[in-house]
């Protein structure tokens, strides 16, 4: 669903109250009431979750073909007695992350009246880059409520793409994702994962995977909000339902695995920030759980050390630079829990500061520099 940001109307109400001489306390109550009313209205206007049709995915593929890159699928040589792993290199997209697929489709499907207002999103960096890139191509203004701890490389790229940045702490951004509003962000809101058109754009990757490796037995994707895995799994299951689809999260942020274990969407109470900034949320959104349940087979949790080893392995064996979230699927494949393969590990992005990358891969098992 795309909603018009109510932040401007809230600000106007507050300004009107100030002009009328209303006390600060009453102004705060009025603003809170306005926001609550908006949230209530939004909860009744959200479109119901529905499956993504194969025809929609094919239409999206044609729609975004001139914006995105059809990324290669290459073999990783992890060593003897290891699974057969193929890397889907989404780090080679123009923004160095898969999010461009969803953003390009979502922006392209906006009616002209909504484009004129501009767009905004919430992001740790990759979704923000995707929406900013697609918006720039379409001549649409863009704002990004960005998590203040996002890597500098992502922040610089968003700014270079012309996005207005509004930095906030992680928990504030997560709350804004749930409420779909943020004061100061105006225009049409494009949710970075709970958006049918955004997810459908990601699904185009599934078509490419089965065309390039029809012998695939399993696909592994990292989970942040769940848009990537929902999209890819929707395409895979429509074409080859016998292929297993696994989600992967870091041990520090694994609400999807916990939700799978409990059978309902859960809050991950022991959430901790880490270098895996592009995956692992604080909670599983109920709407995303509803989307994921029918198409995802199982969930794998990996340690941060396993993730670092996967980053190093890809750099050594395939000369691929991956951010933490992009390395999670390789780490998961190396556990053996997804079978012997062929396994497609989606390298979702490569947006990591180079100094940080070198620091992370220089340490193995916490034993020091190698």
């Amino acid at each position: 669903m795309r909603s018009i940001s109510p932040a401007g109307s809230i600000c106007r109400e507050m300004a009107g109250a100030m002009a009328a001489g209303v006390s600060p306390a009453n102004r705060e109550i009025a603003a809170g009431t306005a926001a609550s009313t908006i949230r209530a209205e939004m909860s009744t206007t959200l479109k119901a979750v529905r499956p993504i049709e194969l025809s929609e995915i094919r239409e999206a593929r044609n729609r975004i073909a001139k914006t995105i890159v059809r990324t290669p699928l290459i073999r990783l040589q992890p060593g003897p007695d290891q699974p057969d792993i193929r890397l889907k290199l989404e780090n080679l997209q123009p923004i160095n992350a898969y999010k461009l697929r969803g953003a390009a489709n979502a922006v392209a499907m906006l009616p002209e009246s909504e484009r004129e207002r501009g767009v905004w999103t919430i992001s740790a960096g990759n979704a923000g880059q995707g929406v900013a890139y697609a918006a720039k191509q379409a001549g649409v203004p863009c704002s990004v409520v960005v998590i203040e701890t996002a890597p500098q490389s992502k922040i610089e790229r968003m700014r270079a793409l012309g996005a207005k940045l509004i930095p906030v702490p992680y928990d504030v951004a997560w709350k804004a994702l749930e409420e779909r509003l943020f004061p100061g962000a105006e225009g049409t809101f494009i949710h970075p994962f709970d958006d049918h058109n955004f997810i459908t754009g990601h699904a185009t990757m599934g078509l490419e995977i089965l065309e390039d490796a029809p012998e695939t037995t399993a696909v592994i994707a990292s989970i942040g909000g769940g848009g990537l895995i929902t999209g890819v799994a929707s395409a895979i299951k429509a074409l080859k339902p016998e292929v297993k689809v696994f989600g992967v999260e870091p041990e520090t942020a694994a609400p999807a695995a916990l939700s799978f274990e409990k059978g309902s969407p859960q809050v991950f109470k022991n959430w901790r920030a880490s270098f895996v900034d592009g995956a692992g949320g604080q909670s599983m959104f109920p709407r995303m759980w509803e989307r994921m349940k029918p198409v995802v087979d199982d969930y794998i949790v990996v340690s941060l050390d396993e993730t670092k080893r996967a980053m190093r392995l890809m750099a050594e064996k395939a000369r691929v630079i991956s951010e933490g979230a992009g390395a999670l699927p390789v780490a998961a494949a190396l556990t053996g829990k997804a079978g012997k393969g062929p396994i497609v590990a989606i390298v979702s992005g490569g947006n990591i500061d180079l100094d940080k990358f070198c620091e992370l891969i220089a340490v193995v098992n916490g034993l020091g520099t190698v």
Side-chain angles (χ1 to χ4, degrees):
M1 178 242 182
R2 297 169 190 81
S3 57
I4 307 307
S5 170
S9 61
I10 292 174
C11 292
R12 284 190 292 273
E13 286 186 29
M14 293 179 70
M18 291 174 70
V22 180
S23 71
N26 286 338
R27 285 199 301 271
E28 185 174 338
I29 292 170
T33 301
S36 297
T37 301
I38 289 159
R39 283 192 289 272
E41 290 175 352
M42 289 174 65
S43 67
T44 60
T45 57
L46 277 176
K47 292 182 180 178
V49 169
R50 64 178 178 84
I52 297 172
E53 303 294 336
L54 187 58
S55 59
E56 292 180 285
I57 301 171
R58 287 173 170 153
E59 289 169 4
R61 182 186 203 175
N62 293 332
R63 189 178 296 118
I64 67 177
K66 293 182 179 179
T67 303
I68 65 111
V69 170
R70 191 190 195 286
T71 54
L73 190 66
I74 67 169
R75 286 180 183 269
L76 179 67
Q77 305 290 344
D81 302 320
Q82 295 292 342
D84 178 354
I85 301 173
R86 321 286 175 86
L87 305 177
K88 179 62 172 168
L89 297 179
E90 287 295 295
N91 60 312
L92 298 182
Q93 290 293 349
I95 64 164
N96 302 117
Y98 78 98
K99 287 280 190 178
L100 183 57
R101 292 178 184 264
N105 194 49
V107 171
M109 294 189 72
L110 288 177
E112 189 60 35
S113 60
E114 294 187 17
R115 287 193 189 199
E116 289 175 357
R117 300 183 181 97
V119 296
W120 71 282
T121 192
I122 303 165
S123 175
N126 286 341
Q129 288 183 74
V131 174
Y133 187 98
K136 184 176 182 180
Q137 284 209 331
V140 177
C142 174
S143 297
V144 180
V145 176
V146 61
I147 295 170
E148 60 190 7
T149 55
Q152 192 61 32
S153 59
K154 295 182 180 182
I155 291 174
E156 289 173 359
R157 288 284 291 277
M158 286 185 284
R159 189 173 286 119
L161 288 166
K164 171 189 172 184
L165 303 184
I166 307 171
V168 299
Y170 186 97
D171 57 342
V172 173
W174 198 256
K175 182 175 172 55
L177 281 171
E178 293 176 333
E179 298 184 345
R180 296 170 178 258
L181 60 88
F182 188 84
E186 298 191 357
T188 303
F189 177 51
I190 298 181
H191 201 288
F193 50 86
D194 185 12
D195 180 290
H196 189 88
N197 295 336
F198 210 94
I199 295 170
T200 303
H202 300 332
T204 59
M205 199 189 310
L207 303 180
E208 297 173 13
I209 287 171
L210 292 183
E211 287 169 357
D212 292 349
E215 70 277 22
T216 297
T217 61
V219 176
I220 308 178
S222 56
I223 297 177
L228 169 60
I229 196 168
T230 299
V232 172
S234 295
I236 297 291
K237 294 297 185 180
L239 294 168
K240 293 192 73 174
E242 68 273 19
V243 175
K244 298 294 184 184
V245 178
F246 295 86
V248 58
E249 297 169 299
E251 60 187 350
T252 52
L258 180 62
S259 299
F260 184 72
E261 177 187 336
K262 300 292 186 182
S264 62
Q266 299 289 315
V267 173
F268 193 78
K269 296 180 180 178
N270 296 322
W271 184 91
R272 302 195 315 275
S274 76
F275 66 89
V276 187
D277 60 281
Q282 292 185 341
S283 63
M284 171 54 61
F285 281 31
R287 284 171 55 86
M288 294 309 297
W289 178 244
E290 188 179 346
R291 294 182 195 276
M292 290 163 58
K293 271 194 309 182
V295 292
V296 181
D297 293 290
D298 207 345
Y299 299 83
I300 300 170
V301 177
V302 298
S303 71
L304 296 183
D305 278 347
E306 287 173 319
T307 307
K308 292 174 188 177
R309 287 198 294 271
M311 293 169 69
R312 184 183 180 102
L313 181 69
M314 283 190 282
E316 288 181 333
K317 301 291 187 179
R319 295 299 185 258
V320 168
I321 294 179
S322 170
E323 61 187 90
L328 291 177
V330 173
L334 292 171
T335 67
K337 294 177 181 178
K340 284 293 186 181
I343 301 167
V344 172
I346 298 173
V347 183
S348 56
N351 286 311
I352 183 170
D353 298 336
L354 193 56
D355 288 344
K356 184 65 174 177
F357 178 81
C358 294
E359 173 192 325
L360 291 169
I361 68 168
V363 178
V364 176
N365 291 328
L367 297 178
T369 304
V370 295

